[in-house]
Amino acid sequence: MKKNRERFCNKEREFVYAFKVGNESFELRVPLKFPVQENASHLHGRLMLLHNLPCFIENDLKESLSQFIEEESLQDYDGDAEAALEGVKSGEVDLHQLASTWAKAYAETTLEHARPEEPSWDEDFADVYHDLIHSPASETLLNLEHNYFVSISELIGERDVELKKLRERQDIEMAKVMQELGKSFTDQDVNSLAAQHFESQQDLENKWSNELKQSTAIQKQEYQEWVIKLHQDLKNPNNSSLSEEIKVQPSLFRESVEAIERIYEEQRKLEESFTIHLGAQLKTMHNLRLLRADMLDFCKHKRNLHSGVKLHRLQTALSLYSTSLCGLVLLVDNRINSYSGIKRDFATVCQECTDFHFPRIEEQLEVAQQVALYARTQRSGKAKDQDSGNQNGASDEKSAERNYLNILPGEFYITRHSNLSEVHVAFHLCVDDNVKSGNITARDPAIMGLRNILKVCCTHDLTTISIPLLLVHDMSEEMTIPWCLRRAELVFKCVKGFMMEMASWDGGISRTVQFLVPQSISEEMFYQLSNMLPQIFRVSSTLTLTSKH
């Protein structure tokens, strides 16, 4: 049957079209290879342009060409079918195997004959949680989550104290050895002691890491089982064993210090809000906010669950399984891990509270690494095929030098969270040292990365996004006032353009975009940026009309 099928593939046939121009007769002959891969309309357009054909035959030629391709293709299909039937009749094809293949394909593509999908635990739990968080039981859920958070926070506090004591003891030991260096101890002794100290620190960190991992796993299991049971109890009003409401357990651990820090942060925080309308014909209203704040402030929980924090947490929980998600952009280096910089600080915040809905941050980063490795090897394979024989393999050497686990500037990976204060999704955008220079353009990888992030927001129901306005999380000496103004103007204008594109991506949905600047920026600089924003976005203003009689 395979040989018969090959007879009808790549067969060339001639399309003949006769037409008259005045008294002269013309004939167009075009060899076509079947099956025809090109769209008939595209082929027709090329023929008109290539042979400079008169316009009055355009429609007739298009109809004749489409009819020719359709008739010849049907003949091929009929011939292919006849060959297949001949193969069955002659015994070349196993009839039982063919029937089972057809039955399997039909069952997989027809819903009424397909096997019912097995229920997913994650989907069931998500539905149950969504029902409960939108019920009077929401306060009980938040209280339980907060108590779990306090428990993990205090465990982390004990770990930090123990690690601090170990380092202090090691510092004293090393100081004594250094005093006796050249007398009782040699350089080898110092190196040996340093190695012992490092090993002791690693052992202690691993011990606490395993303990935290085990504790969060137990909490997650207990929480999910409790949520399922509470949902079942609420469904049965006659059930007298309805779970008692959980009260918030106050934490005495570092509460006074945090109260002082909170007051200090509130004093340093600056905020301006604007309402804009974007769009050519159908305008969409958006909310813009300019804030002087730390990006991680939107992630951190407070140990004392006062009313303001509780409202933020409730809003985040209510919208966890909704079409109004919140996200933020973290600027990271090209390594997918949580070992340094803001990546480490973000991972620490994620570890302070158990995530009851999504995998731990470490597990999500491992998946991101695997995806990045697969994507990089796929691209490298295609590049090798294209560059084979060119530059004597120079491109292969360049690819070999690159770490396949690293990502490129402008690329980003996404992590999902249910345990952060005001955020559901984190976009980890890779940037390099070029963002610190003052000469980046709208085509810079970091800017294009922002565009792609906003596109993901449109396709995945993120209606609030927080962006570092200056494309940095911390200020440095080279970031002068002119530098800040140029960078802010560039980002404002690019984001405005991207937001106008959003209307074609999602049909025009109202969104909130928060522009964050580092806390170390001056108030004067902040208000200069605040004055720039309405000029670029043309903020809506109230017009008062008066009439004279």
Side-chain angles (χ1 to χ4, degrees):
M1 189 171 71
K2 183 178 179 182
K3 292 180 180 178
N4 291 329
R5 185 180 293 114
E6 288 176 351
R7 284 189 310 158
F8 302 103
C9 294
N10 298 324
K11 186 174 181 180
E12 192 174 277
R13 294 170 193 152
E14 191 174 51
F15 167 65
V16 180
Y17 177 74
F19 62 96
K20 286 187 176 182
V21 178
N23 296 327
E24 296 186 26
S25 298
F26 295 91
E27 197 173 69
L28 174 68
R29 293 179 176 272
V30 181
L32 296 178
K33 189 172 289 186
F34 282 80
V36 178
Q37 303 293 336
E38 191 172 2
N39 184 285
S41 297
H42 296 170
L43 181 59
H44 163 258
R46 288 175 54 195
L47 291 176
M48 292 290 296
L49 185 64
L50 183 64
H51 298 282
N52 198 21
L53 298 176
C55 61
F56 58 82
I57 69 166
E58 182 176 358
N59 293 333
D60 188 53
L61 173 62
K62 185 176 183 179
E63 185 178 343
S64 299
L65 180 63
S66 300
Q67 185 177 356
F68 175 78
I69 293 175
E70 183 178 358
E71 290 176 353
E72 294 297 323
S73 299
L74 284 175
Q75 287 184 16
D76 287 350
Y77 295 148
D78 292 341
D80 202 358
E82 290 292 338
L85 290 173
E86 287 296 327
V88 173
K89 291 178 182 178
S90 64
E92 184 181 349
V93 177
D94 185 0
L95 188 61
H96 297 289
Q97 183 181 1
L98 184 63
S100 62
T101 303
W102 267 95
K104 181 182 177 183
Y106 188 74
E108 289 178 351
T109 55
T110 310
L111 183 62
E112 60 181 321
H113 296 287
R115 294 175 58 189
E117 293 185 4
E118 297 182 1
S120 166
W121 162 257
D122 290 337
E123 292 179 1
D124 289 345
F125 176 71
D127 292 338
V128 168
Y129 179 85
H130 186 74
D131 289 343
L132 287 179
I133 201 65
H134 288 82
S135 74
S138 59
E139 178 137 358
T140 305
L141 282 179
L142 293 181
N143 290 346
L144 180 60
E145 291 179 11
H146 183 75
N147 291 341
Y148 277 139
F149 161 65
V150 170
S151 175
I152 292 295
S153 296
E154 293 184 351
L155 199 63
I156 291 175
E158 293 175 15
R159 177 200 65 183
D160 294 342
V161 169
E162 195 167 335
L163 284 170
K164 183 180 178 182
K165 288 181 178 178
L166 176 64
R167 293 192 183 100
E168 289 175 351
R169 187 170 65 249
Q170 290 178 346
D171 289 342
I172 293 172
E173 292 178 3
M174 183 59 74
K176 289 180 179 178
V177 172
M178 293 301 293
Q179 286 178 358
E180 297 295 324
L181 183 61
K183 301 175 184 177
S184 306
F185 298 101
T186 63
D187 291 340
Q188 187 176 358
D189 295 327
V190 174
N191 293 335
S192 177
L193 182 62
Q196 291 177 13
H197 286 175
F198 178 76
E199 187 175 351
S200 299
Q201 286 187 21
Q202 289 293 105
D203 291 342
L204 187 59
E205 288 177 358
N206 290 336
K207 170 208 162 189
W208 277 105
S209 176
N210 292 331
E211 187 167 344
L212 284 168
K213 185 177 179 181
Q214 185 178 4
S215 297
T216 54
I218 293 172
Q219 282 189 359
K220 186 172 185 176
Q221 183 178 356
E222 288 179 352
Y223 178 85
Q224 292 184 341
E225 291 174 354
W226 183 86
V227 166
I228 296 293
K229 184 178 183 302
L230 178 60
H231 189 259
Q232 292 172 349
D233 291 346
L234 290 175
K235 275 189 171 181
N236 183 8
N238 298 323
N239 192 344
S240 58
S241 62
L242 187 66
S243 302
E244 295 181 2
E245 184 177 353
I246 296 175
K247 304 299 181 182
V248 176
Q249 296 178 3
S251 171
L252 301 177
F253 187 78
R254 288 190 288 181
E255 196 161 293
S256 60
V257 176
E258 289 203 344
I260 296 172
E261 290 178 351
R262 188 172 63 254
I263 293 172
Y264 180 61
E265 286 177 3
E266 289 174 355
Q267 289 175 346
R268 297 178 64 195
K269 190 174 181 180
L270 291 174
E271 178 180 335
E272 291 282 349
S273 298
F274 306 89
T275 300
I276 63 169
H277 291 83
L278 291 179
Q281 296 178 345
L282 182 62
K283 294 187 179 296
T284 305
M285 186 180 73
H286 302 281
N287 297 315
L288 303 181
R289 297 176 70 198
L290 179 65
L291 298 99
R292 186 179 71 174
D294 190 336
M295 187 69 77
L296 296 183
D297 288 345
F298 296 96
C299 306
K300 296 175 182 177
H301 284 279
K302 303 297 185 294
R303 287 180 177 80
N304 50 340
L305 199 63
H306 55 85
S307 59
V309 174
K310 198 166 187 176
L311 288 175
H312 274 305
R313 181 69 196 121
L314 176 61
Q315 181 59 41
T316 306
L318 288 172
S319 56
L320 179 60
Y321 296 103
S322 74
T323 56
S324 300
L325 302 176
C326 300
L328 59 78
V329 178
L330 291 177
L331 305 174
V332 299
D333 58 31
N334 62 350
R335 296 181 295 275
I336 304 176
N337 57 41
S338 58
Y339 303 141
S340 61
I342 197 169
K343 296 185 297 182
R344 180 185 59 203
D345 298 336
F346 178 73
T348 301
V349 174
C350 294
Q351 292 163 357
E352 285 184 345
C353 188
T354 303
D355 197 319
F356 302 112
H357 301 262
F358 304 111
R360 296 181 304 114
I361 180 69
E362 294 83 3
E363 295 176 16
Q364 295 193 51
L365 293 180
E366 287 177 6
V367 173
Q369 284 183 339
Q370 294 171 4
V371 173
L373 176 61
Y374 176 77
R376 194 71 67 227
T377 51
Q378 290 290 102
R379 292 180 186 176
S380 176
K382 291 180 181 179
K384 287 179 181 178
D385 293 340
Q386 294 175 357
D387 295 341
S388 57
N390 296 335
Q391 300 180 357
N392 297 323
S395 61
D396 295 345
E397 294 178 5
K398 185 177 181 181
S399 299
E401 293 175 359
R402 180 186 296 165
N403 187 344
Y404 279 10
L405 285 177
N406 292 347
I407 60 176
L408 303 177
E411 295 179 338
F412 59 90
Y413 51 96
I414 302 171
T415 54
R416 301 171 298 161
H417 309 274
S418 68
N419 57 337
L420 302 181
S421 177
E422 303 175 47
V423 174
H424 304 108
V425 177
F427 296 93
H428 305 255
L429 175 61
C430 176
V431 295
D432 54 17
D433 290 338
N434 189 47
V435 295
K436 294 181 180 180
S437 67
N439 55 355
I440 70 169
T441 65
R443 304 299 299 177
D444 188 83
I447 299 291
M448 299 311 297
L450 283 181
R451 178 183 183 273
N452 293 330
I453 287 173
L454 290 176
K455 194 164 189 176
V456 172
C457 291
C458 290
T459 56
H460 291 80
D461 300 320
L462 275 89
T463 55
T464 300
I465 184 72
S466 300
I467 298 172
L469 175 61
L470 304 180
L471 299 181
V472 293
H473 291 306
D474 300 299
M475 303 297 291
S476 56
E477 292 181 359
E478 68 267 19
M479 299 173 189
T480 59
I481 291 178
W483 184 96
C484 293
L485 293 174
R486 285 196 307 271
R487 177 60 53 84
E489 182 181 9
L490 173 66
V491 175
F492 278 148
K493 288 182 177 179
C494 290
V495 171
K496 179 184 177 181
F498 302 153
M499 291 177 69
M500 295 181 72
E501 281 186 90
M502 284 183 182
S504 61
W505 297 338
D506 60 16
I509 294 178
S510 180
R511 300 186 184 277
T512 298
V513 179
Q514 301 185 139
F515 297 101
L516 271 65
V517 294
Q519 287 186 332
S520 57
I521 205 168
S522 66
E523 286 192 27
E524 181 185 357
M525 185 73 252
F526 176 85
Y527 288 115
Q528 287 190 52
L529 299 177
S530 176
N531 293 331
M532 179 189 296
L533 190 148
Q535 295 174 7
I536 293 176
F537 284 90
R538 295 182 182 177
V539 174
S540 304
S541 59
T542 304
L543 182 62
T544 304
L545 299 177
T546 59
S547 61
K548 294 182 179 180
H549 297 285

